[in-house]
Amino acid sequence: MAESTIKLTIKFGGRSIPLSVSPDATTKDLKSLLQPITNVLPRGQKLIFKGKVLGETSTLKQSLVGDGAKIMLMASQGLHQGEGPVLKEASTRPISRTVVDKAKPGLVVDKNRADRWKATGVIALAQANLKEIPEEVWECGSAARVLDVSENFIREVPARISSFTSIHKLFLQGNGLSDESVQWEGIASLKRLMLLSISHNNLTVLPSEVGSLTSLRQLDVANNKLTSLPNEIGLLTQLEIFKANNNRITSLPENIGDCSFLMEVDLSANMISELPETVTKLRKLKTLELNNTGLTNLPSVLFKMCLQLSTLGLHNTEITVESLRQLEGWSEFDERRRTKHQKQIDFRVVGSGQFDEGADKSW
């Protein structure tokens, strides 16, 4: 009687990954199994057994791969999903930081600066070598309109942030924040908040409390470790820009379509394999970035329903131009796309005197 399964060991980046598969599984099937484990897209995987690259359509049995076999996985550059290979830690500093004077390890807040914060409503403390939000900041209370503590080493965003009842913009990116670092009930109470940037941190969960931020126009949760998005994101009916690229998101909630004001969405470098049909309800959508994802197709009426869509990023996906041309509304979308890129080219030629051959890289 034939074996029902065989046990394999996949060697990848210093790891040993055990798998049980059918000997009748093809190399393509094996790559699909490895995708969620390694964050490497199937076409970026090269499987090597006894010095030979396994053929895509060959079964393990045909390739003489038996029980207890060891297979090496090599990943191509640029074809990782999410934050890249599982061994690589995400950076919490998106850009270079200036060197802090060793003689001043902390930030000294003088009274004049605190008075200026209260007068202008703008608290600018980016790249200030902070480990916590200074006490003087909290004294601003309802006078604060903008708080920027990005690219520091902030260990906690406490619930007392709810005292900023008039705040419009909150920048928390690049602090290495974890799920336990953020008291979301405090942020959720900021009913006037229009921009929240919490990218380049170590969040694995975007909690349901985010749905309380009904005044949000921009939400940036890129470069974290999110695996999903809450259903409550559909409550953000004023949201115009949503960036969630470079995470580990596998699917989108159906009610993403309720965010009817969305104009720009970036979901690149995630583990998304399909989009919900409700995406076609985003009638104001102009830009949709889906590069480096596991997508194999798009909703069939995307071009027909999203009549303002002019930028569609599909680099390093399995979706071909030929398949896009079969979708209803392709011609109109293609005309919008070409018109937009021509305007960009004209602007660059007039503005800089140089022609940019990369102007037409996105669909």
Side-chain angles (χ1 to χ4, degrees), residues 181-226:
S181 303
V182 184
Q183 302 300 313
W184 281 96
E185 64 271 21
I187 294 179
S189 68
L190 305 177
K191 301 304 182 183
R192 297 187 182 183
L193 193 64
M194 300 175 68
L195 182 154
L196 173 61
S197 178
I198 197 165
S199 64
H200 291 88
N201 284 295
N202 293 312
L203 303 179
T204 65
V205 175
L206 187 63
S208 60
E209 285 89 342
V210 74
S212 299
L213 301 173
T214 53
S215 293
L216 271 189
R217 301 294 194 275
Q218 299 182 44
L219 175 60
D220 188 351
V221 295
N223 291 279
N224 278 285
K225 298 178 180 179
L226 303 177

Side-chain angles (χ1 to χ4, degrees), residues 45-63:
Q45 299 178 31
K46 182 183 293 185
L47 296 176
I48 301 173
F49 176 62
K50 292 186 176 180
K52 294 183 179 180
V53 178
L54 296 180
E56 192 78 1
T57 58
S58 299
T59 66
L60 298 176
K61 185 188 300 181
Q62 290 170 338
S63 301

